Amino acid sequence: MRLTRRLITAGIGLLLAGCMSLDTAPTTEVRQALAPTGKLRVALQLGSPHNVIRDPVSGEMKGVGYDLGKELARRVGVPYEPVFYPSVGALLDAGKAGAWDVAFVGFSPARAKEWDFTALHMEVEFGYLVPGGSSISTMADVDRPGIRVAVQEKSQPDIFLSRTLKNGVMVRAPSLAGTVDALRSGRADAIFSIKPSLFEVSNQLPGSRVLDGRPGVDPHAMVMPKGRDAGLAYARQFIEDAKSEGQVKAAIERVGMRGAVVAPLQ
């Protein structure tokens, strides 16, 4: 009898868990919290596959943040309005002025004090890129006196490298494109960023290579301005559904990201 009760209880639990998925339309209150202007304004860092890139031939926009934002807008039942920024710093600054409703950025405890986060949807590897002909062949070769490492300022790679680089010199740039310019001009010997972005950059720099190894991982999540509590639970459940239903994995594969995996379910 006890075993039967346990099985029944477990079955009810599974049914309740299934009911938590976003099969029904959100309430008016939730829709207003998520899209107060009537559109879902999704902030995206242009040029980064974890957010959005533009196909140079077809002009098609694709990226993990781009695809997830479009799907969230569809489920909420409002028009999708992507808002593009050249860097994560510019993106976050614009968010403080109310320019967007959701974004997809690296999680950190410091950012969590200013923004409301969902659980992680993706984990992205950090890495180094060096130009063709470089004498740097391993990650250990980077952290040496005189080696200059370009990094995008106010980014998660910047925060990580500030803690871990002991002997090399950091060269900060306002955007990922700025780090590429530093490498091309000889002001930097390597670029430190997330690997998916580095693989994109390597396509622009013949002979360049992304070094083997993983110095760390950048945890990514969807973020919202604080004070929109009515929409936060919906957003969090959306991310769990997107992971369990394979949408995050499909977005990673569609944009051809290397060095990124779907985060575990919460």
Side-chain angles (χ1 to χ4, degrees):
M1 177 65 73
R2 290 180 179 175
L3 177 59
T4 302
R5 287 176 178 172
R6 287 173 185 165
L7 291 172
I8 292 173
T9 300
I12 293 173
L14 289 171
L15 286 172
L16 290 175
C19 291
M20 287 298 291
S21 63
L22 306 181
D23 293 331
T24 57
T27 64
T28 301
E29 184 182 18
V30 168
R31 186 179 289 111
Q32 177 64 26
L34 287 170
T37 66
K39 299 178 181 179
L40 185 68
R41 301 169 300 168
V42 180
L44 299 163
Q45 182 182 349
L46 189 60
S48 297
H50 63 285
N51 263 207
V52 63
I53 60 173
R54 189 190 304 274
D55 188 284
V57 178
S58 67
E60 178 189 16
M61 306 296 287
K62 55 186 177 181
V64 178
Y66 184 88
D67 287 0
L68 291 180
K70 187 175 184 178
E71 176 61 17
L72 177 60
R74 186 192 69 80
R75 295 193 185 198
V76 174
V78 294
Y80 175 47
E81 184 176 300
V83 187
F84 304 115
Y85 296 93
S87 68
V88 67
L91 183 154
L92 292 174
D93 286 344
K96 294 174 183 177
W100 48 261
D101 304 308
V102 301
F104 299 86
V105 301
F107 171 84
S108 72
R111 286 179 178 173
K113 294 177 182 179
E114 297 186 278
W115 311 93
D116 280 332
F117 279 85
T118 65
L120 304 181
H121 65 279
M122 183 172 61
E123 295 176 338
V124 186
E125 296 178 346
F126 289 129
Y128 293 95
L129 178 141
V130 296
S134 173
S135 62
I136 299 171
S137 59
T138 69
M139 290 195 302
D141 294 334
V142 177
D143 198 2
R144 295 182 300 172
I147 300 297
R148 301 158 300 171
V149 184
V151 65
Q152 182 180 328
E153 63 185 1
K154 299 181 180 180
S155 66
Q156 289 298 92
D158 185 1
I159 295 169
F160 181 87
L161 200 63
S162 297
R163 296 196 309 261
T164 58
L165 193 70
K166 305 301 182 185
N167 301 301
V169 178
M170 293 177 63
V171 178
R172 291 182 172 88
S175 64
L176 181 63
T179 67
V180 177
D181 289 340
L183 193 70
R184 280 177 166 155
S185 66
R187 291 181 288 112
D189 304 298
I191 297 173
F192 183 78
S193 187
I194 56 173
K195 280 191 176 180
S197 292
L198 293 180
F199 283 120
E200 287 293 319
V201 169
S202 69
N203 294 330
Q204 308 168 27
L205 300 174
S208 65
R209 63 190 187 282
V210 178
L211 300 180
D212 292 335
R214 185 177 74 172
V217 171
D218 187 12
H220 279 244
M222 188 166 75
V223 65
M224 296 174 55
K226 285 187 177 293
R228 301 189 185 184
D229 296 349
L232 186 57
Y234 188 96
R236 286 174 171 162
Q237 187 58 48
F238 165 74
I239 290 298
E240 295 308 306
D241 288 353
K243 289 187 290 188
S244 65
E245 295 169 6
Q247 287 162 347
V248 177
K249 183 174 183 291
I252 291 172
E253 292 175 348
R254 191 170 91 87
V255 76
M257 283 181 71
R258 291 180 284 173
V261 296
V262 180
L265 290 169
Q266 297 296 303

